[in-house]
């Protein structure tokens, strides 16, 4: 189990690093789930779960300042559960969405509380004209965030879905509902933010196109 957990952590880290050098989209469920299937020795189920969850999260994209549910964690843990328990593939949907929402809450905490401190450190280097210092902070914070998320996914896989479901029960219903509402509103806000930057004589034709 420990070896499988380490492999799952590596898969998660690989998926989260998709945005490090510009998004390569290899974090999508249709890519990640088959990798989990390879790790657990059931590629066929991994492919089927990946295709199913890709349909569920097809519209989940970060737009502007909005973050969609963390479908990497939802895909990995749900796929692992389906393969190891032998349950129906449809059960992956019921697991992936709440798990993705839970990890999104944690990721938002990292972004708004932890990583903001890295920005302040980078600002100090920038004020001193130390470009290399700014780059180091960016790399350490960027990769460190992915490592933390990958470890969280590995921990979730190791502890199992029952533990995750137990954690979800402690989150108030109004918080979950609020996240659902925000998930519907934020993409529109993000697109509006992008549109405001593009609405000028030079760029507006490309926006319409």
């Amino acid at each position: 189990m420990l070896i499988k957990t380490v492999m799952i952590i590596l898969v998660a880290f690989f998926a989260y690093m998709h945005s490090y050098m510009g998004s390569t989209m290899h974090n999508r469920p249709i890519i990640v789930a088959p990798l989990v299937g390879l790790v657990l020795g059931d590629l066929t189920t991994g492919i089927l779960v990946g295709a199913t969850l890709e349909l569920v999260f097809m519209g989940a994209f970060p737009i502007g300042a909005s973050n969609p549910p963390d479908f990497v964690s939802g895909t990995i843990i749900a796929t692992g559960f389906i393969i190891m328990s032998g349950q129906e593939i449809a059960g992956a949907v019921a697991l992936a969405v709440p798990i993705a929402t839970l990890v999104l809450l944690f990721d938002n905490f990292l972004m708004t509380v932890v990583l903001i401190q890295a920005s302040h450190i980078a600002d100090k280097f920038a004020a001193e004209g130390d470009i290399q210092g700014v780059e180091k902070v960016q790399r350490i914070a960027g990769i460190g965030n992915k490592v933390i998320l990958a470890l969280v996914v590995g921990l979730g896989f190791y502890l199992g879905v029952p533990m995750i479901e137990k954690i979800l029960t402690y989150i108030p219903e109004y918080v979950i509902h609020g996240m659902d509402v925000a998930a519907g509103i934020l993409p529109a806000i993000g697109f509006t933010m992008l549109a405001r930057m593009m609405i000028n004589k030079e760029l507006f034709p490309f926006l319409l196109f």
Side-chain angles (χ1 to χ4, degrees), residues 84-177:
M84 297 179 72
S85 67
Q87 292 195 17
E88 294 293 328
I89 293 175
V93 177
L95 292 173
V97 175
I99 291 172
T101 302
L102 177 61
V103 177
L104 172 64
L105 292 173
F106 179 73
D107 191 24
N108 283 341
F109 171 79
L110 291 178
M111 291 289 185
T112 58
V113 178
V114 179
L115 292 185
I116 197 69
Q117 301 304 317
S119 299
H120 294 321
I121 296 173
D123 288 340
K124 292 180 180 178
F125 283 119
E128 298 170 358
D130 187 351
I131 301 302
Q132 291 184 343
V134 175
E135 290 180 351
K136 287 180 181 179
V137 172
Q138 181 183 14
R139 293 183 188 280
I140 292 172
I143 296 177
N145 180 57
K146 311 307 181 188
V147 170
I148 292 173
L149 290 175
L151 290 174
V152 168
V153 173
L155 181 63
F157 173 81
Y158 184 80
L159 294 177
V161 173
M163 178 62 69
I164 295 173
E165 291 177 335
K166 185 176 181 180
I167 293 174
L168 287 171
T169 60
Y170 288 105
I171 300 178
E173 181 64 29
Y174 68 85
V175 173
I176 300 296
H177 177 68

Side-chain angles (χ1 to χ4, degrees), residues 184-206:
I185 296 175
L186 285 177
I189 296 175
F191 184 79
T192 303
M193 293 171 63
L194 294 176
R196 288 186 62 186
M197 293 185 286
M198 296 180 68
I199 296 179
N200 55 55
K201 294 180 180 179
E202 291 78 16
L203 297 179
F204 190 66
F206 294 99

Side-chain angles (χ1 to χ4, degrees), residues 70-86:
D70 186 85
F71 48 80
V72 171
S73 59
T75 297
I76 291 176
I77 296 175
T79 303
F81 177 77
I82 294 299
I83 291 176
M84 297 179 72
S85 67

Side-chain angles (χ1 to χ4, degrees), residues 18-19 23 25 27-28 59-68 71 187 190 194:
H18 81 100
S19 61
S23 181
M25 302 296 289
N27 66 326
R28 301 300 304 178
F61 285 94
I63 301 176
S66 69
N67 271 338
F71 48 80
L194 294 176

